[in-house]
């Protein structure tokens, strides 16, 4: 999107974020040239946990198709808003039906090597984030806390537990 008024409305109404310039396909091509992998996040940043299954499938498939066409590959998907209550079983199915090979949340955590290998459709990638201004003590706290809570159940989407 390049229209400032549409970007402003999207940032304000959907993202609850200050107006920011969006990347264009040239920017994305430059990122890929520098070794970055591009993944999907949906077309309209909808709350998949509250959306109609047909609308979810259409959105996620459109996302995959556009990324595949413009980037050559689109293996990974991170669902909007990132919490488990922002996602559902219809979303999980749509992600893999569209062609993505992994799905990530924004739920903190880490993974444990299971006795039985998981399929990509079973594994919900948990991610943690750190901020540049955090000290090593704060970073160590989150890493240690995630490790203490780690279990094979954390590897799975909540609906599969």
């Amino acid at each position: 999107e390049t229209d400032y008024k549409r970007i402003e409305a999207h940032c304000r109404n959907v993202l609850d974020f200050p107006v920011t310039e969006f990347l264009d396909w040239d920017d994305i091509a430059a990122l890929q040239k520098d070794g970055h992998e591009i993944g999907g996040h949906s077309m309209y940043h909808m709350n998949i946990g509250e959306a109609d299954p047909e609308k979810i499938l259409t959105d996620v498939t459109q996302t995959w198709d556009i990324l595949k066409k413009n980037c050559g590959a689109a293996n990974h998907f991170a669902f909007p808003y990132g919490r488990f209550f922002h996602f559902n079983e219809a979303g999980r199915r749509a992600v893999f039906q569209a062609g993505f090979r992994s799905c990530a949340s924004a739920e903190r955590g880490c993974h444990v090597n299971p006795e039985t290998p998981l399929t990509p459709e079973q594994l919900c990638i948990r991610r943690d984030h750190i901020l540049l201004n955090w000290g090593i003590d704060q970073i160590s706290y989150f890493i240690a806390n995630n490790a203490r809570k780690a279990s094979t159940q954390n590897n799975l989407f909540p609906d599969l537990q």
Side-chain angles (χ1 to χ4, degrees):
E1 182 62 64
T2 57
D3 180 87
Y4 181 82
K5 290 209 179 286
R6 290 181 68 174
I7 291 171
E8 180 181 39
H10 186 76
C11 288
R12 180 183 58 248
N13 300 329
V14 178
L15 303 178
D16 191 26
F17 199 77
V19 178
T20 187
E21 184 179 345
F22 292 167
L23 298 176
D24 63 24
W25 291 114
D26 290 336
D27 296 326
I28 292 170
L31 287 170
Q32 284 186 289
K33 185 176 180 234
D34 288 341
H36 292 272
E37 193 168 346
I38 305 300
H41 190 61
S42 81
M43 290 298 298
Y44 303 103
H45 208 267
M46 74 168 99
N47 181 342
I48 291 174
E50 296 177 354
D52 175 73
E54 190 172 306
K55 186 175 179 180
I56 296 167
L57 181 59
T58 299
D59 184 286
V60 173
T61 300
Q62 185 179 9
T63 301
W64 190 85
D65 289 343
I66 287 172
L67 288 172
K68 181 83 171 157
K69 176 184 170 205
N70 289 286
C71 300
N75 292 322
H76 312 292
F77 186 86
F79 54 92
Y81 307 104
R83 302 299 304 274
F84 286 141
F85 55 85
H86 297 126
F87 202 59
N88 58 28
E89 178 60 18
R92 186 183 70 81
R93 282 193 313 271
V95 165
F96 294 101
Q97 185 176 336
F100 291 100
R101 294 177 50 213
S102 73
C103 188
S105 73
E107 296 280 355
R108 290 187 183 277
C110 62
H111 300 93
V112 174
N113 192 22
E115 290 181 24
T116 305
L118 297 174
T119 65
E121 291 84 2
Q122 293 172 305
L123 176 64
C124 179
I125 298 171
R126 291 175 175 261
R127 298 178 296 158
D128 222 328
H129 69 278
I130 57 172
L131 300 179
L132 184 61
N133 63 345
W134 285 5
I136 192 67
D137 290 343
Q138 191 169 7
I139 295 167
S140 296
Y141 167 81
F142 284 109
I143 291 171
N145 196 43
N146 289 342
R148 274 192 299 276
K149 293 179 180 178
S151 75
T152 55
Q153 289 300 103
N154 285 347
N155 296 347
L156 305 174
F157 286 94
D159 292 347
L160 298 178
Q161 294 179 9

mmCIF file of all heavy atoms in Angstrom, residues 52-98:
data_model
loop_
_atom_site.group_PDB
_atom_site.id
_atom_site.type_symbol
_atom_site.label_atom_id
_atom_site.label_comp_id
_atom_site.label_asym_id
_atom_site.label_seq_id
_atom_site.Cartn_x
_atom_site.Cartn_y
_atom_site.Cartn_z
ATOM 1 N N ASP A 52 -14.354 -15.840 10.265
ATOM 2 C CA ASP A 52 -15.043 -16.945 9.602
ATOM 3 C C ASP A 52 -14.013 -17.831 8.886
ATOM 4 O O ASP A 52 -13.094 -17.305 8.234
ATOM 5 C CB ASP A 52 -16.033 -16.359 8.584
ATOM 6 C CG ASP A 52 -16.707 -17.407 7.753
ATOM 7 O OD1 ASP A 52 -17.577 -18.112 8.292
ATOM 8 O OD2 ASP A 52 -16.346 -17.529 6.551
ATOM 9 N N PRO A 53 -14.124 -19.166 9.009
ATOM 10 C CA PRO A 53 -13.139 -20.063 8.381
ATOM 11 C C PRO A 53 -12.921 -19.819 6.886
ATOM 12 O O PRO A 53 -11.789 -19.886 6.406
ATOM 13 C CB PRO A 53 -13.713 -21.460 8.637
ATOM 14 C CG PRO A 53 -14.513 -21.304 9.884
ATOM 15 C CD PRO A 53 -15.105 -19.913 9.798
ATOM 16 N N GLU A 54 -13.981 -19.516 6.152
ATOM 17 C CA GLU A 54 -13.838 -19.273 4.710
ATOM 18 C C GLU A 54 -13.033 -17.997 4.459
ATOM 19 O O GLU A 54 -12.182 -17.948 3.573
ATOM 20 C CB GLU A 54 -15.223 -19.170 4.061
ATOM 21 C CG GLU A 54 -15.181 -19.160 2.547
ATOM 22 C CD GLU A 54 -16.572 -19.249 1.954
ATOM 23 O OE1 GLU A 54 -17.312 -20.185 2.297
ATOM 24 O OE2 GLU A 54 -16.890 -18.358 1.142
ATOM 25 N N LYS A 55 -13.277 -16.971 5.250
ATOM 26 C CA LYS A 55 -12.536 -15.709 5.121
ATOM 27 C C LYS A 55 -11.063 -15.906 5.485
ATOM 28 O O LYS A 55 -10.176 -15.352 4.841
ATOM 29 C CB LYS A 55 -13.166 -14.643 6.017
ATOM 30 C CG LYS A 55 -12.565 -13.283 5.855
ATOM 31 C CD LYS A 55 -13.320 -12.253 6.682
ATOM 32 C CE LYS A 55 -12.674 -10.884 6.512
ATOM 33 N NZ LYS A 55 -13.350 -9.849 7.287
ATOM 34 N N ILE A 56 -10.819 -16.729 6.494
ATOM 35 C CA ILE A 56 -9.441 -17.035 6.892
ATOM 36 C C ILE A 56 -8.705 -17.702 5.738
ATOM 37 O O ILE A 56 -7.603 -17.291 5.367
ATOM 38 C CB ILE A 56 -9.405 -17.945 8.135
ATOM 39 C CG1 ILE A 56 -10.002 -17.237 9.347
ATOM 40 C CG2 ILE A 56 -7.980 -18.403 8.425
ATOM 41 C CD1 ILE A 56 -10.285 -18.180 10.519
ATOM 42 N N LEU A 57 -9.308 -18.738 5.165
ATOM 43 C CA LEU A 57 -8.664 -19.482 4.080
ATOM 44 C C LEU A 57 -8.392 -18.573 2.884
ATOM 45 O O LEU A 57 -7.307 -18.616 2.298
ATOM 46 C CB LEU A 57 -9.508 -20.681 3.667
ATOM 47 C CG LEU A 57 -8.912 -21.549 2.553
ATOM 48 C CD1 LEU A 57 -7.546 -22.108 2.955
ATOM 49 C CD2 LEU A 57 -9.875 -22.678 2.197
ATOM 50 N N THR A 58 -9.346 -17.727 2.528
ATOM 51 C CA THR A 58 -9.161 -16.810 1.406
ATOM 52 C C THR A 58 -7.999 -15.860 1.671
ATOM 53 O O THR A 58 -7.127 -15.658 0.821
ATOM 54 C CB THR A 58 -10.458 -16.003 1.155
ATOM 55 O OG1 THR A 58 -11.501 -16.918 0.821
ATOM 56 C CG2 THR A 58 -10.276 -14.994 0.042
ATOM 57 N N ASP A 59 -7.966 -15.277 2.859
ATOM 58 C CA ASP A 59 -6.915 -14.322 3.213
ATOM 59 C C ASP A 59 -5.538 -14.978 3.223
ATOM 60 O O ASP A 59 -4.581 -14.465 2.640
ATOM 61 C CB ASP A 59 -7.223 -13.705 4.576
ATOM 62 C CG ASP A 59 -6.230 -12.627 4.971
ATOM 63 O OD1 ASP A 59 -5.083 -12.971 5.339
ATOM 64 O OD2 ASP A 59 -6.599 -11.443 4.946
ATOM 65 N N VAL A 60 -5.419 -16.115 3.893
ATOM 66 C CA VAL A 60 -4.120 -16.779 4.020
ATOM 67 C C VAL A 60 -3.642 -17.299 2.661
ATOM 68 O O VAL A 60 -2.459 -17.182 2.333
ATOM 69 C CB VAL A 60 -4.193 -17.908 5.078
ATOM 70 C CG1 VAL A 60 -2.911 -18.723 5.107
ATOM 71 C CG2 VAL A 60 -4.474 -17.319 6.460
ATOM 72 N N THR A 61 -4.543 -17.826 1.847
ATOM 73 C CA THR A 61 -4.178 -18.312 0.513
ATOM 74 C C THR A 61 -3.737 -17.158 -0.376
ATOM 75 O O THR A 61 -2.741 -17.260 -1.101
ATOM 76 C CB THR A 61 -5.349 -19.072 -0.130
ATOM 77 O OG1 THR A 61 -5.690 -20.181 0.706
ATOM 78 C CG2 THR A 61 -5.002 -19.572 -1.518
ATOM 79 N N GLN A 62 -4.447 -16.041 -0.299
ATOM 80 C CA GLN A 62 -4.063 -14.860 -1.075
ATOM 81 C C GLN A 62 -2.678 -14.372 -0.637
ATOM 82 O O GLN A 62 -1.841 -14.022 -1.471
ATOM 83 C CB GLN A 62 -5.095 -13.756 -0.910
ATOM 84 C CG GLN A 62 -4.841 -12.551 -1.772
ATOM 85 C CD GLN A 62 -5.904 -11.469 -1.590
ATOM 86 O OE1 GLN A 62 -6.743 -11.530 -0.704
ATOM 87 N NE2 GLN A 62 -5.848 -10.463 -2.435
ATOM 88 N N THR A 63 -2.425 -14.392 0.653
ATOM 89 C CA THR A 63 -1.116 -13.996 1.178
ATOM 90 C C THR A 63 -0.022 -14.873 0.588
ATOM 91 O O THR A 63 0.993 -14.377 0.078
ATOM 92 C CB THR A 63 -1.102 -14.112 2.722
ATOM 93 O OG1 THR A 63 -2.131 -13.278 3.263
ATOM 94 C CG2 THR A 63 0.237 -13.735 3.308
ATOM 95 N N TRP A 64 -0.228 -16.193 0.657
ATOM 96 C CA TRP A 64 0.775 -17.135 0.144
ATOM 97 C C TRP A 64 1.003 -16.937 -1.357
ATOM 98 O O TRP A 64 2.141 -16.915 -1.815
ATOM 99 C CB TRP A 64 0.356 -18.568 0.451
ATOM 100 C CG TRP A 64 1.439 -19.553 0.180
ATOM 101 C CD1 TRP A 64 2.452 -19.911 1.017
ATOM 102 C CD2 TRP A 64 1.640 -20.305 -1.016
ATOM 103 N NE1 TRP A 64 3.268 -20.844 0.420
ATOM 104 C CE2 TRP A 64 2.791 -21.099 -0.828
ATOM 105 C CE3 TRP A 64 0.961 -20.382 -2.225
ATOM 106 C CZ2 TRP A 64 3.265 -21.953 -1.809
ATOM 107 C CZ3 TRP A 64 1.444 -21.235 -3.206
ATOM 108 C CH2 TRP A 64 2.582 -22.013 -2.984
ATOM 109 N N ASP A 65 -0.090 -16.800 -2.114
ATOM 110 C CA ASP A 65 0.020 -16.642 -3.568
ATOM 111 C C ASP A 65 0.819 -15.396 -3.943
ATOM 112 O O ASP A 65 1.684 -15.441 -4.819
ATOM 113 C CB ASP A 65 -1.368 -16.583 -4.210
ATOM 114 C CG ASP A 65 -2.110 -17.900 -4.201
ATOM 115 O OD1 ASP A 65 -1.472 -18.967 -4.005
ATOM 116 O OD2 ASP A 65 -3.344 -17.880 -4.387
ATOM 117 N N ILE A 66 0.543 -14.287 -3.278
ATOM 118 C CA ILE A 66 1.237 -13.031 -3.588
ATOM 119 C C ILE A 66 2.711 -13.129 -3.216
ATOM 120 O O ILE A 66 3.585 -12.689 -3.961
ATOM 121 C CB ILE A 66 0.540 -11.846 -2.885
ATOM 122 C CG1 ILE A 66 -0.778 -11.556 -3.585
ATOM 123 C CG2 ILE A 66 1.426 -10.610 -2.862
ATOM 124 C CD1 ILE A 66 -1.657 -10.548 -2.879
ATOM 125 N N LEU A 67 3.000 -13.705 -2.057
ATOM 126 C CA LEU A 67 4.406 -13.849 -1.661
ATOM 127 C C LEU A 67 5.148 -14.800 -2.593
ATOM 128 O O LEU A 67 6.294 -14.547 -2.976
ATOM 129 C CB LEU A 67 4.509 -14.317 -0.213
ATOM 130 C CG LEU A 67 4.131 -13.275 0.826
ATOM 131 C CD1 LEU A 67 4.091 -13.898 2.209
ATOM 132 C CD2 LEU A 67 5.082 -12.096 0.787
ATOM 133 N N LYS A 68 4.517 -15.891 -2.952
ATOM 134 C CA LYS A 68 5.135 -16.861 -3.870
ATOM 135 C C LYS A 68 5.448 -16.186 -5.212
ATOM 136 O O LYS A 68 6.535 -16.341 -5.759
ATOM 137 C CB LYS A 68 4.189 -18.049 -4.050
ATOM 138 C CG LYS A 68 4.710 -19.125 -4.937
ATOM 139 C CD LYS A 68 5.605 -20.049 -4.193
ATOM 140 C CE LYS A 68 5.920 -21.249 -5.066
ATOM 141 N NZ LYS A 68 7.134 -21.895 -4.672
ATOM 142 N N LYS A 69 4.497 -15.417 -5.718
ATOM 143 C CA LYS A 69 4.673 -14.731 -6.997
ATOM 144 C C LYS A 69 5.801 -13.702 -6.930
ATOM 145 O O LYS A 69 6.620 -13.605 -7.842
ATOM 146 C CB LYS A 69 3.368 -14.032 -7.400
ATOM 147 C CG LYS A 69 3.466 -13.208 -8.655
ATOM 148 C CD LYS A 69 2.171 -12.475 -8.917
ATOM 149 C CE LYS A 69 2.377 -11.462 -10.030
ATOM 150 N NZ LYS A 69 1.428 -10.371 -9.950
ATOM 151 N N ASN A 70 5.868 -12.937 -5.859
ATOM 152 C CA ASN A 70 6.818 -11.833 -5.773
ATOM 153 C C ASN A 70 8.149 -12.183 -5.123
ATOM 154 O O ASN A 70 9.135 -11.482 -5.344
ATOM 155 C CB ASN A 70 6.187 -10.651 -5.023
ATOM 156 C CG ASN A 70 5.118 -9.973 -5.836
ATOM 157 O OD1 ASN A 70 5.402 -9.255 -6.779
ATOM 158 N ND2 ASN A 70 3.867 -10.229 -5.497
ATOM 159 N N CYS A 71 8.167 -13.241 -4.324
ATOM 160 C CA CYS A 71 9.392 -13.588 -3.585
ATOM 161 C C CYS A 71 9.963 -14.941 -3.967
ATOM 162 O O CYS A 71 11.057 -15.290 -3.544
ATOM 163 C CB CYS A 71 9.110 -13.581 -2.076
ATOM 164 S SG CYS A 71 8.559 -11.987 -1.478
ATOM 165 N N GLY A 72 9.206 -15.720 -4.718
ATOM 166 C CA GLY A 72 9.677 -17.038 -5.123
ATOM 167 C C GLY A 72 9.391 -18.131 -4.120
ATOM 168 O O GLY A 72 9.339 -19.295 -4.459
ATOM 169 N N ALA A 73 9.206 -17.755 -2.874
ATOM 170 C CA ALA A 73 8.904 -18.731 -1.824
ATOM 171 C C ALA A 73 8.253 -18.009 -0.655
ATOM 172 O O ALA A 73 8.457 -16.818 -0.453
ATOM 173 C CB ALA A 73 10.179 -19.424 -1.350
ATOM 174 N N ALA A 74 7.463 -18.748 0.065
ATOM 175 C CA ALA A 74 6.824 -18.220 1.273
ATOM 176 C C ALA A 74 6.593 -19.417 2.184
ATOM 177 O O ALA A 74 5.563 -20.054 2.119
ATOM 178 C CB ALA A 74 5.510 -17.534 0.926
ATOM 179 N N ASN A 75 7.579 -19.715 2.980
ATOM 180 C CA ASN A 75 7.473 -20.923 3.791
ATOM 181 C C ASN A 75 6.855 -20.709 5.167
ATOM 182 O O ASN A 75 6.292 -21.637 5.728
ATOM 183 C CB ASN A 75 8.863 -21.546 3.964
ATOM 184 C CG ASN A 75 9.388 -22.098 2.672
ATOM 185 O OD1 ASN A 75 8.638 -22.654 1.870
ATOM 186 N ND2 ASN A 75 10.665 -21.937 2.432
ATOM 187 N N HIS A 76 6.967 -19.523 5.708
ATOM 188 C CA HIS A 76 6.629 -19.333 7.112
ATOM 189 C C HIS A 76 5.529 -18.298 7.291
ATOM 190 O O HIS A 76 5.470 -17.298 6.573
ATOM 191 C CB HIS A 76 7.884 -18.927 7.888
ATOM 192 C CG HIS A 76 9.041 -19.821 7.567
ATOM 193 N ND1 HIS A 76 9.063 -21.144 7.953
ATOM 194 C CD2 HIS A 76 10.170 -19.612 6.863
ATOM 195 C CE1 HIS A 76 10.175 -21.702 7.511
ATOM 196 N NE2 HIS A 76 10.871 -20.788 6.844
ATOM 197 N N PHE A 77 4.675 -18.551 8.275
ATOM 198 C CA PHE A 77 3.543 -17.681 8.576
ATOM 199 C C PHE A 77 3.526 -17.386 10.068
ATOM 200 O O PHE A 77 3.706 -18.290 10.891
ATOM 201 C CB PHE A 77 2.225 -18.380 8.182
ATOM 202 C CG PHE A 77 1.012 -17.514 8.324
ATOM 203 C CD1 PHE A 77 0.626 -16.682 7.293
ATOM 204 C CD2 PHE A 77 0.253 -17.534 9.488
ATOM 205 C CE1 PHE A 77 -0.507 -15.874 7.411
ATOM 206 C CE2 PHE A 77 -0.877 -16.738 9.613
ATOM 207 C CZ PHE A 77 -1.251 -15.910 8.576
ATOM 208 N N ALA A 78 3.355 -16.124 10.415
ATOM 209 C CA ALA A 78 3.176 -15.713 11.812
ATOM 210 C C ALA A 78 1.824 -15.022 11.891
ATOM 211 O O ALA A 78 1.588 -14.031 11.198
ATOM 212 C CB ALA A 78 4.288 -14.771 12.248
ATOM 213 N N PHE A 79 0.927 -15.554 12.716
ATOM 214 C CA PHE A 79 -0.425 -15.011 12.701
ATOM 215 C C PHE A 79 -0.508 -13.655 13.400
ATOM 216 O O PHE A 79 0.212 -13.381 14.349
ATOM 217 C CB PHE A 79 -1.452 -15.998 13.243
ATOM 218 C CG PHE A 79 -1.195 -16.582 14.603
ATOM 219 C CD1 PHE A 79 -1.698 -15.989 15.744
ATOM 220 C CD2 PHE A 79 -0.482 -17.772 14.737
ATOM 221 C CE1 PHE A 79 -1.496 -16.540 16.999
ATOM 222 C CE2 PHE A 79 -0.272 -18.341 15.981
ATOM 223 C CZ PHE A 79 -0.781 -17.720 17.116
ATOM 224 N N PRO A 80 -1.402 -12.779 12.881
ATOM 225 C CA PRO A 80 -1.538 -11.435 13.442
ATOM 226 C C PRO A 80 -1.880 -11.460 14.934
ATOM 227 O O PRO A 80 -2.623 -12.312 15.392
ATOM 228 C CB PRO A 80 -2.683 -10.829 12.639
ATOM 229 C CG PRO A 80 -2.647 -11.574 11.336
ATOM 230 C CD PRO A 80 -2.245 -12.973 11.706
ATOM 231 N N TYR A 81 -1.349 -10.531 15.629
ATOM 232 C CA TYR A 81 -1.521 -10.304 17.072
ATOM 233 C C TYR A 81 -0.808 -11.371 17.910
ATOM 234 O O TYR A 81 -0.410 -11.106 19.015
ATOM 235 C CB TYR A 81 -2.991 -10.160 17.462
ATOM 236 C CG TYR A 81 -3.701 -9.112 16.649
ATOM 237 C CD1 TYR A 81 -4.568 -9.470 15.630
ATOM 238 C CD2 TYR A 81 -3.475 -7.758 16.869
ATOM 239 C CE1 TYR A 81 -5.213 -8.505 14.858
ATOM 240 C CE2 TYR A 81 -4.112 -6.790 16.107
ATOM 241 C CZ TYR A 81 -4.984 -7.172 15.104
ATOM 242 O OH TYR A 81 -5.601 -6.222 14.348
ATOM 243 N N GLY A 82 -0.656 -12.576 17.398
ATOM 244 C CA GLY A 82 0.258 -13.563 17.928
ATOM 245 C C GLY A 82 -0.104 -14.363 19.164
ATOM 246 O O GLY A 82 0.571 -15.320 19.492
ATOM 247 N N ARG A 83 -1.142 -13.996 19.877
ATOM 248 C CA ARG A 83 -1.504 -14.750 21.077
ATOM 249 C C ARG A 83 -2.412 -15.914 20.668
ATOM 250 O O ARG A 83 -3.077 -15.886 19.639
ATOM 251 C CB ARG A 83 -2.221 -13.849 22.089
ATOM 252 C CG ARG A 83 -1.417 -12.622 22.536
ATOM 253 C CD ARG A 83 -0.114 -12.976 23.227
ATOM 254 N NE ARG A 83 -0.276 -13.834 24.369
ATOM 255 C CZ ARG A 83 -0.536 -13.415 25.605
ATOM 256 N NH1 ARG A 83 -0.645 -12.137 25.872
ATOM 257 N NH2 ARG A 83 -0.676 -14.293 26.574
ATOM 258 N N PHE A 84 -2.436 -16.948 21.493
ATOM 259 C CA PHE A 84 -3.226 -18.126 21.136
ATOM 260 C C PHE A 84 -4.707 -17.801 20.947
ATOM 261 O O PHE A 84 -5.373 -18.407 20.108
ATOM 262 C CB PHE A 84 -3.048 -19.240 22.159
ATOM 263 C CG PHE A 84 -1.713 -19.928 22.069
ATOM 264 C CD1 PHE A 84 -1.051 -20.316 23.212
ATOM 265 C CD2 PHE A 84 -1.117 -20.183 20.849
ATOM 266 C CE1 PHE A 84 0.181 -20.953 23.144
ATOM 267 C CE2 PHE A 84 0.115 -20.824 20.758
ATOM 268 C CZ PHE A 84 0.762 -21.207 21.911
ATOM 269 N N PHE A 85 -5.232 -16.838 21.688
ATOM 270 C CA PHE A 85 -6.652 -16.510 21.517
ATOM 271 C C PHE A 85 -6.903 -15.707 20.232
ATOM 272 O O PHE A 85 -8.047 -15.445 19.885
ATOM 273 C CB PHE A 85 -7.243 -15.807 22.756
ATOM 274 C CG PHE A 85 -6.519 -14.566 23.194
ATOM 275 C CD1 PHE A 85 -6.798 -13.331 22.628
ATOM 276 C CD2 PHE A 85 -5.568 -14.631 24.199
ATOM 277 C CE1 PHE A 85 -6.133 -12.192 23.042
ATOM 278 C CE2 PHE A 85 -4.901 -13.494 24.631
ATOM 279 C CZ PHE A 85 -5.188 -12.275 24.042
ATOM 280 N N HIS A 86 -5.846 -15.340 19.520
ATOM 281 C CA HIS A 86 -5.977 -14.685 18.226
ATOM 282 C C HIS A 86 -5.906 -15.679 17.070
ATOM 283 O O HIS A 86 -5.823 -15.274 15.912
ATOM 284 C CB HIS A 86 -4.856 -13.652 18.033
ATOM 285 C CG HIS A 86 -4.891 -12.538 19.004
ATOM 286 N ND1 HIS A 86 -3.809 -12.201 19.768
ATOM 287 C CD2 HIS A 86 -5.884 -11.692 19.352
ATOM 288 C CE1 HIS A 86 -4.118 -11.176 20.549
ATOM 289 N NE2 HIS A 86 -5.381 -10.862 20.314
ATOM 290 N N PHE A 87 -5.936 -16.957 17.372
ATOM 291 C CA PHE A 87 -5.773 -17.983 16.356
ATOM 292 C C PHE A 87 -6.737 -19.116 16.675
ATOM 293 O O PHE A 87 -7.279 -19.184 17.777
ATOM 294 C CB PHE A 87 -4.318 -18.487 16.374
ATOM 295 C CG PHE A 87 -3.857 -19.134 15.108
ATOM 296 C CD1 PHE A 87 -3.857 -18.451 13.914
ATOM 297 C CD2 PHE A 87 -3.394 -20.435 15.118
ATOM 298 C CE1 PHE A 87 -3.401 -19.038 12.738
ATOM 299 C CE2 PHE A 87 -2.938 -21.047 13.964
ATOM 300 C CZ PHE A 87 -2.943 -20.340 12.776
ATOM 301 N N ASN A 88 -6.972 -19.990 15.715
ATOM 302 C CA ASN A 88 -7.867 -21.120 15.955
ATOM 303 C C ASN A 88 -7.529 -22.268 14.995
ATOM 304 O O ASN A 88 -6.628 -22.157 14.167
ATOM 305 C CB ASN A 88 -9.337 -20.693 15.828
ATOM 306 C CG ASN A 88 -9.670 -20.100 14.469
ATOM 307 O OD1 ASN A 88 -9.060 -20.427 13.459
ATOM 308 N ND2 ASN A 88 -10.644 -19.211 14.438
ATOM 309 N N GLU A 89 -8.257 -23.336 15.131
ATOM 310 C CA GLU A 89 -8.011 -24.528 14.321
ATOM 311 C C GLU A 89 -8.222 -24.255 12.836
ATOM 312 O O GLU A 89 -7.471 -24.742 11.991
ATOM 313 C CB GLU A 89 -8.905 -25.680 14.793
ATOM 314 C CG GLU A 89 -8.785 -26.964 13.994
ATOM 315 C CD GLU A 89 -7.377 -27.570 13.984
ATOM 316 O OE1 GLU A 89 -6.548 -27.215 14.847
ATOM 317 O OE2 GLU A 89 -7.101 -28.397 13.092
ATOM 318 N N ALA A 90 -9.240 -23.462 12.491
ATOM 319 C CA ALA A 90 -9.464 -23.128 11.081
ATOM 320 C C ALA A 90 -8.264 -22.370 10.515
ATOM 321 O O ALA A 90 -7.861 -22.586 9.373
ATOM 322 C CB ALA A 90 -10.737 -22.303 10.924
ATOM 323 N N GLY A 91 -7.674 -21.505 11.316
ATOM 324 C CA GLY A 91 -6.489 -20.780 10.889
ATOM 325 C C GLY A 91 -5.303 -21.703 10.688
ATOM 326 O O GLY A 91 -4.568 -21.602 9.702
ATOM 327 N N ARG A 92 -5.116 -22.624 11.628
ATOM 328 C CA ARG A 92 -4.007 -23.571 11.513
ATOM 329 C C ARG A 92 -4.134 -24.392 10.232
ATOM 330 O O ARG A 92 -3.186 -24.554 9.476
ATOM 331 C CB ARG A 92 -3.956 -24.497 12.737
ATOM 332 C CG ARG A 92 -2.735 -25.420 12.745
ATOM 333 C CD ARG A 92 -2.770 -26.374 13.926
ATOM 334 N NE ARG A 92 -3.818 -27.368 13.797
ATOM 335 C CZ ARG A 92 -3.722 -28.476 13.064
ATOM 336 N NH1 ARG A 92 -2.624 -28.744 12.412
ATOM 337 N NH2 ARG A 92 -4.729 -29.329 12.998
ATOM 338 N N ARG A 93 -5.321 -24.891 9.978
ATOM 339 C CA ARG A 93 -5.539 -25.678 8.753
ATOM 340 C C ARG A 93 -5.292 -24.829 7.511
ATOM 341 O O ARG A 93 -4.677 -25.281 6.545
ATOM 342 C CB ARG A 93 -6.951 -26.261 8.738
ATOM 343 C CG ARG A 93 -7.122 -27.482 9.625
ATOM 344 C CD ARG A 93 -8.418 -28.230 9.358
ATOM 345 N NE ARG A 93 -9.594 -27.382 9.273
ATOM 346 C CZ ARG A 93 -10.370 -27.035 10.317
ATOM 347 N NH1 ARG A 93 -10.099 -27.474 11.517
ATOM 348 N NH2 ARG A 93 -11.408 -26.264 10.145
ATOM 349 N N ALA A 94 -5.779 -23.590 7.521
ATOM 350 C CA ALA A 94 -5.638 -22.700 6.358
ATOM 351 C C ALA A 94 -4.177 -22.403 6.048
ATOM 352 O O ALA A 94 -3.779 -22.367 4.878
ATOM 353 C CB ALA A 94 -6.402 -21.395 6.600
ATOM 354 N N VAL A 95 -3.368 -22.201 7.079
ATOM 355 C CA VAL A 95 -1.947 -21.889 6.885
ATOM 356 C C VAL A 95 -1.265 -22.996 6.088
ATOM 357 O O VAL A 95 -0.552 -22.729 5.113
ATOM 358 C CB VAL A 95 -1.251 -21.684 8.252
ATOM 359 C CG1 VAL A 95 0.264 -21.726 8.124
ATOM 360 C CG2 VAL A 95 -1.704 -20.379 8.893
ATOM 361 N N PHE A 96 -1.496 -24.239 6.472
ATOM 362 C CA PHE A 96 -0.817 -25.345 5.797
ATOM 363 C C PHE A 96 -1.490 -25.696 4.473
ATOM 364 O O PHE A 96 -0.822 -26.081 3.515
ATOM 365 C CB PHE A 96 -0.714 -26.539 6.737
ATOM 366 C CG PHE A 96 0.196 -26.227 7.900
ATOM 367 C CD1 PHE A 96 -0.333 -25.899 9.138
ATOM 368 C CD2 PHE A 96 1.568 -26.199 7.737
ATOM 369 C CE1 PHE A 96 0.499 -25.566 10.202
ATOM 370 C CE2 PHE A 96 2.413 -25.871 8.787
ATOM 371 C CZ PHE A 96 1.875 -25.549 10.031
ATOM 372 N N GLN A 97 -2.793 -25.521 4.377
ATOM 373 C CA GLN A 97 -3.494 -25.763 3.118
ATOM 374 C C GLN A 97 -3.036 -24.763 2.059
ATOM 375 O O GLN A 97 -2.909 -25.110 0.888
ATOM 376 C CB GLN A 97 -5.008 -25.659 3.326
ATOM 377 C CG GLN A 97 -5.820 -26.011 2.107
ATOM 378 C CD GLN A 97 -7.313 -26.000 2.393
ATOM 379 O OE1 GLN A 97 -7.748 -26.170 3.526
ATOM 380 N NE2 GLN A 97 -8.103 -25.792 1.369
ATOM 381 N N ALA A 98 -2.750 -23.538 2.460
ATOM 382 C CA ALA A 98 -2.313 -22.508 1.524
ATOM 383 C C ALA A 98 -0.927 -22.814 0.953
ATOM 384 O O ALA A 98 -0.625 -22.430 -0.173
ATOM 385 C CB ALA A 98 -2.302 -21.137 2.207
#
